[in-house]
Amino acid sequence: DMYSQDGDADEPEWVKTEREQFVEFRDKNRDGRMDKEETKDWILPSDYDHAEAEARHLVYESDQNKDGKLSKEEIVEKYDLFVGSQATDFGEALVRHDEF
């Protein structure tokens, strides 16, 4: 709905990709439209673990020596990242634990 050809015969690659995504993954009942359940599944997929994704993000962004572990120094260096994270209850978990 957002793309208008405006006389251009060739579709951009992103439009082709979005069409393929729609047909293959989003329009599960193949009626040409996304109903409420299909939209919900697209926005909040049931097989996506938000906590795991956030934890991986925190480690990826903070693990300076890339050893797969976070030291106290690495956490303190990226303190703002942890305080703004849902995984730490927006910093509350940092206050409740002596090890932090």
Side-chain angles (χ1 to χ4, degrees):
D1 288 334
M2 294 178 60
Y3 173 71
S4 174
Q5 283 185 323
D6 291 330
D8 188 8
D10 295 327
E11 279 184 342
E13 195 61 37
W14 71 267
V15 174
K16 292 176 187 175
T17 302
E18 286 301 315
R19 285 186 197 283
E20 290 170 8
Q21 290 290 316
F22 178 80
V23 171
E24 290 181 36
F25 303 108
R26 295 185 188 141
D27 186 20
K28 294 178 182 179
N29 64 6
R30 306 283 189 236
D31 68 351
R33 302 177 188 271
M34 286 179 66
D35 61 27
K36 185 177 179 178
E37 285 304 311
E38 290 166 333
T39 304
K40 181 179 156 189
D41 218 27
W42 173 46
I43 294 171
L44 294 170
S46 58
D47 61 344
Y48 183 76
D49 187 341
H50 293 279
E52 182 179 341
E54 181 63 9
R56 287 180 187 271
H57 167 70
L58 290 172
V59 171
Y60 177 81
E61 292 293 330
S62 305
D63 188 15
Q64 294 173 345
N65 62 5
K66 303 301 178 200
D67 67 351
K69 301 174 187 174
L70 295 180
S71 67
K72 181 178 178 179
E73 292 76 22
E74 289 171 327
I75 294 170
V76 170
E77 181 71 29
K78 296 288 185 164
Y79 181 79
D80 57 328
L81 186 68
F82 284 85
V83 170
S85 173
Q86 210 172 7
T88 65
D89 194 17
F90 300 101
E92 290 297 316
L94 301 175
V95 179
R96 291 191 304 262
H97 292 275
D98 291 339
E99 64 270 21
F100 295 130

